[in-house]
Amino acid sequence: MLAQIPVSWLVSLSLILFSVGLAGVLVRKNAIVVFMCIELMFNSINLSFIAFSQLHANLIGQISIVF
């Protein structure tokens, strides 16, 4: 059985990814790079949904990222 990653690590990783994406949106001027940074921010939000879904032991967060 695999050991579960602590939720605090996932939230910290999500915060770091969101910060990198936000810095990229604010600094870059190329539209494609800005859209990639926005996608990075959305992926970090999805990661936090999964982390909190794991914390509360329900599947709503995991189902919401599919849509």
Side-chain angles (χ1 to χ4, degrees), residues 12-66:
S12 299
L13 177 63
S14 176
L15 179 66
I16 291 168
L17 289 175
F18 191 85
S19 300
V20 168
L22 184 64
V25 167
L26 294 176
V27 171
R28 301 293 181 174
K29 294 182 181 178
N30 188 359
I32 295 174
V33 176
V34 169
F35 286 138
M36 287 172 44
C37 291
I38 290 173
E39 184 177 357
L40 184 66
M41 291 167 59
F42 285 146
N43 287 332
S44 71
I45 293 169
N46 286 337
L47 180 63
S48 67
F49 279 165
I50 291 173
F52 288 123
S53 175
Q54 177 185 352
L55 178 66
H56 296 296
N58 62 7
L59 295 176
I60 294 174
Q62 295 178 8
I63 292 171
S64 67
I65 65 165
V66 173

